[in-house]
Every structure is written in C-alpha cells, then in structure tokens.
C-alpha cells in the first residue's frame, strides 16, 4: 500500500523584487507593494503549517537577483526555521535569477533544508517513520543561462517510493520567456515520474495530468503582465491518485478590468467607475489597468488628457484608507466613432483625402526622428512602443475628424 504524502509545490518566489513600473503610489501602498514578496513567503509557510505537509518544494528563482539582498536571505532562513519547528522539510533549487556562481554573501540554512547544489541532476530521499517515501530529483543553475536539455539526466531509481522531479525550465517552443533547460512534454512523460514540479514560467499551468506536470506560477505578481491570483499547489498523493489544490498567497494582485459606458461627462464617468469599483473590490488589493469603451460622448472626453489624469487622481485618493484597495495604474479609453470611416475615406473631399493620408502613414519614425534627435528634448522622451504609436495616430485622427465633422 502506498503511503499518503502531502507537500507544497511552489516556484519563482523572487523574494525582495523591486517592482519596477508600478507607478507612483502613496506611502502606505508603496510599503505594501515593496513588502509583498515577504508577505507571500509568510503565507506560504503558514499554509504549510496549517495543512501539516511533509515537505515543501521550491523549484528555482527563490531570489529576484543573482546578487541577492542579505535581508531576503535572512527572511528565507527564518521561514525555513519555522518550517523546521513544525517538522517540515524543504527541497530547493536555484534558477536563472539566483544562479549559484553569482557574487553574494550566503546565509546558513537549518538542517531541514536540502538545496540541490549540483549542475547535474541528483536525487535525495525523503524518509518518514523509518521508510523512504519519496525520491526527490533536482539541480541548480550555476550560471544565468542553462541551454542544455536536462530531461535525459532524470534517471529513476529502483526505490519503492514516489518519484518527484524538480525542473526549472521551459518547453522548447515557448515564445513568451527565455527558453532555459528546454524540454518536450513527451521527454518528461517518458521518465515515469509520479510528479513534475516545474518552475520558471510565472503563469500557473497544468501541462499534463498523468503524471501531473505542473507550473504553479510565481507567489506574487510583479507587473500587469502577471495578473490574477498567485500562489502554490498543495499536492496530496495516495492510493486514490494525486489531488491538487491551488492556494493563493499574494499580498495584492494585478488586474485588467473592462468597463462599457454611455457617460458623456466627467461627473458621469466618475460615478460609474466608483460604482463598478465596489463590485470589483472582492478581488482584494489590486493595481488596475482599466479599459473603458463607449460612444461619442466618451470620444469627446478622451481628448481632454489633463482632466482625465486628474479624474484618475481623484478616484485613487479615495483608496488610501481602504484595506481592499484598488489603485488605477493606467486607464485606456476606446471610443466608437459616430461616423463611418470607411465611407468617408471613399469621398472626394478634404476629409476623405486626410483619411487616405492617414492610411498611408505606416511609419511614424521619420516624423519623430527630429524630436528624438533634439539635444534638449531627447533627454525627456521615452521611445514609443508600436502599440503606443498606433494609439497616438488613432487619437490624432479622431480629434481631427471630430473638429472637421462638427455639425
């Protein structure tokens, strides 16, 4: 009879992440954001203790940078000590962000922690009640980039136990992240492991169920590109198979909300956003990218940029005293024009000619080059991304059409 085994699988803790690009926040929220990875770590430990797990797997990128801060290391050491006090072991590996050859001052961890130190895959036994109940396999990055295919190094032992493999890497066809320690799904399945504990990809993903091949995602989102709940998996293995339960750990999350409105004034728009925010508040603390769509009235408001920025400031001011705060980081406006642009483009008049010129304006760089080459101006300008260029062109076109087609 197989023993009952319970563990937590987490990865990509990125402890002490600097959170670049979140914008200017008031001091109380700035502190919460800065401390969020430490908060998520504390919640991770609390969940391990509450669920009385046998061990915790940490599949790479425990720290955010190769030159990890002393504070981050001490916080992690203290978390390990609390796990030891509750009889919980830890199996950890290092990834591309916290690779082992970096220059840092190491902190000694308690003896309940096993760090896979080798570049090659090794294994460690988990024993309970005098019996080997699991064999844990893993390796650590010694340099930032590991391009070798590591799957071949996972050789299952003959032990009558659960076989659990830790791998910080990505599917070879991945296009969203740097591809390190590449693998094919079939390669992992061929190794006949009972569970694959993956790391590196920050989006929670179940690649396969038999056996489970799992990315838990990171424990705290760090930008709008990492939205939603973040956390770890509670894994229970026994005679009836493997059961997975996701446990959220984040201190706050990033979210994109969509709002359709018929508002024609800033007052109406403010009231509508305030009402919708109360519906969204059960999300918990969040930094928001708000995408608003509407008609002609919204199209008019969109071009009053200073007033729109002021409106966001007014709405955000009310959040500083909220426990479940919702901070609008960015607000995009998409307004449906009351005119048929395609029809106007066919007309033989000034407006039609103007639209035809816009259609031919596929490249803005030549127009912007003098500005970016200006000795004084270039110091204050950021290079526009392609989507930003498209947005600028669209807003310019809408503003011209609005003025030209006024009744």
């Amino acid at each position: 009879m197989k023993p009952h085994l319970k563990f937590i699988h987490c990865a990509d803790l990125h402890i002490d992440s600097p959170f670049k690009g979140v914008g200017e926040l008031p001091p109380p929220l700035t502190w919460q954001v800065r401390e969020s990875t430490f908060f998520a770590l504390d919640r991770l430990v609390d969940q391990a203790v509450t669920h009385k797990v046998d061990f915790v797997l940490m599949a790479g990128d425990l720290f955010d940078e190769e030159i990890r801060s002393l504070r981050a290391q001490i916080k992690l050491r203290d978390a390990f000590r609390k796990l030891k006090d509750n009889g919980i072991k830890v199996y950890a590996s290092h990834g591309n962000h916290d690779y082992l050859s970096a220059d840092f001052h190491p902190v000694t961890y308690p003896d309940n922690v096993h760090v896979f130190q080798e570049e090659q895959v090794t294994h460690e036994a988990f024993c309970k009640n005098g019996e080997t109940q699991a064999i844990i396999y893993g390796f650590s990055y010694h340099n930032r980039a590991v391009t070798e295919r590591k799957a071949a190094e996972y050789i299952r032992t003959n032990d009558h136990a659960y076989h659990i493999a830790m791998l910080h890497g990505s599917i070879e066809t991945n296009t969203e992240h740097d591809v390190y320690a590449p693998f094919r799904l079939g390669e992992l399945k061929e190794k006949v492991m009972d569970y694959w504990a993956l790391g590196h990809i920050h989006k929670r993903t179940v690649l396969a169920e038999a056996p489970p091949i799992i990315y838990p995602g990171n424990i705290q989102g760090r930008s709008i590109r990492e939205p939603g709940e973040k956390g770890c998996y509670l894994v229970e293995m026994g005679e009836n198979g493997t059961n997975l339960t996701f446990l959220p750990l984040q201190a706050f999350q990033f979210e994109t909300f969509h709002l359709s409105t018929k508002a024609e004034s800033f007052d109406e728009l403010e009231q509508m956003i305030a009402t919708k925010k109360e519906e969204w508040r059960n999300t918990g603390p969040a930094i928001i990218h708000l995408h608003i769509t509407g008609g002609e009235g919204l199209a008019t408001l969109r071009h009053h940029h200073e007033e729109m920025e002021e409106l966001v400031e007014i709405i955000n001011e009310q959040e500083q005293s909220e426990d479940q705060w919702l901070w609008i980081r960015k607000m995009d406006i998409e307004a449906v024009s009351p005119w048929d642009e395609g029809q106007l483009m066919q007309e033989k008049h000034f407006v039609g000619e103007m639209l035809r010129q816009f259609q031919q304006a596929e490249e803005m760089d030549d127009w912007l080059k003098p500005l970016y080459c200006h000795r004084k101006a270039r110091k204050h300008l950021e290079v526009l991304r392609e989507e930003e260029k498209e947005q600028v062109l669209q807003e310019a076109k809408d503003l011209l059409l609005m003025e030209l087609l006024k009744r």
Side-chain angles (χ1 to χ4, degrees), residues 111-124:
D111 60 9
N112 64 317
V113 179
H114 176 82
V115 177
F116 289 96
Q117 298 281 356
E118 302 300 322
E119 288 184 279
Q120 292 72 40
V121 174
T122 59
H123 60 269
E124 183 75 9

Side-chain angles (χ1 to χ4, degrees), residues 120-132:
Q120 292 72 40
V121 174
T122 59
H123 60 269
E124 183 75 9
F126 167 74
C127 299
K128 186 176 179 181
N129 300 325
E131 297 181 356
T132 298

Side-chain angles (χ1 to χ4, degrees), residues 258-284:
H258 297 269
L259 174 62
S260 177
T261 179
K262 295 180 180 179
E264 296 186 350
S265 69
F266 284 109
D267 179 60
E268 291 177 346
L269 185 58
E270 188 268 337
Q271 291 298 322
M272 189 166 198
I273 293 173
T275 299
K276 294 299 292 186
K277 274 201 334 186
E278 295 314 306
E279 297 178 16
W280 299 330
R281 204 172 291 282
N282 61 3
T283 300

Side-chain angles (χ1 to χ4, degrees), residues 270-333:
E270 188 268 337
Q271 291 298 322
M272 189 166 198
I273 293 173
T275 299
K276 294 299 292 186
K277 274 201 334 186
E278 295 314 306
E279 297 178 16
W280 299 330
R281 204 172 291 282
N282 61 3
T283 300
I287 293 178
I288 297 171
H289 180 180
L290 184 56
H291 188 84
I292 304 177
T293 56
E296 186 175 358
L298 187 63
T300 303
L301 296 179
R302 178 178 63 181
H303 297 292
H304 296 274
H305 294 288
E306 289 187 8
E307 287 83 355
M308 195 63 74
E309 290 177 2
E310 190 176 355
L311 177 63
V312 173
E313 290 176 4
I314 291 170
I315 294 170
N316 280 341
E317 282 176 2
Q318 304 163 15
E319 294 300 314
Q320 298 186 44
S321 59
E322 294 282 350
D323 291 332
Q324 304 291 85
W325 50 269
L326 300 174
W327 187 267
I328 299 175
R329 170 68 181 90
K330 184 179 181 182
M331 188 161 70
D332 289 336
I333 305 294

Side-chain angles (χ1 to χ4, degrees), residues 5 27 43 55 91 99 104 113 125 136 165 182 189 217 220 231 234 247 276 299 330 346 351 353 360 381 405:
L5 196 66
R43 290 190 71 178
F55 53 82
Y91 299 90
Y99 56 92
F104 62 94
V113 179
I136 318 294
K189 290 182 177 181
Q220 170 62 58
L234 173 67
L247 304 175
K276 294 299 292 186
K330 184 179 181 182
Q346 303 302 318
V351 173
E353 179 60 27
Q360 296 171 13
L381 297 174
L405 298 175

Side-chain angles (χ1 to χ4, degrees), residues 25-56:
L25 298 168
L29 304 192
T30 297
W31 181 85
Q32 289 187 50
V33 169
R34 189 174 61 242
E35 295 294 304
S36 60
T37 54
F38 298 116
F39 176 88
L41 175 63
D42 290 342
R43 290 190 71 178
L44 170 66
V45 172
D46 290 343
Q47 291 284 13
V49 172
T50 297
H51 290 283
K52 297 181 172 63
V53 301
D54 296 302
F55 53 82
V56 174

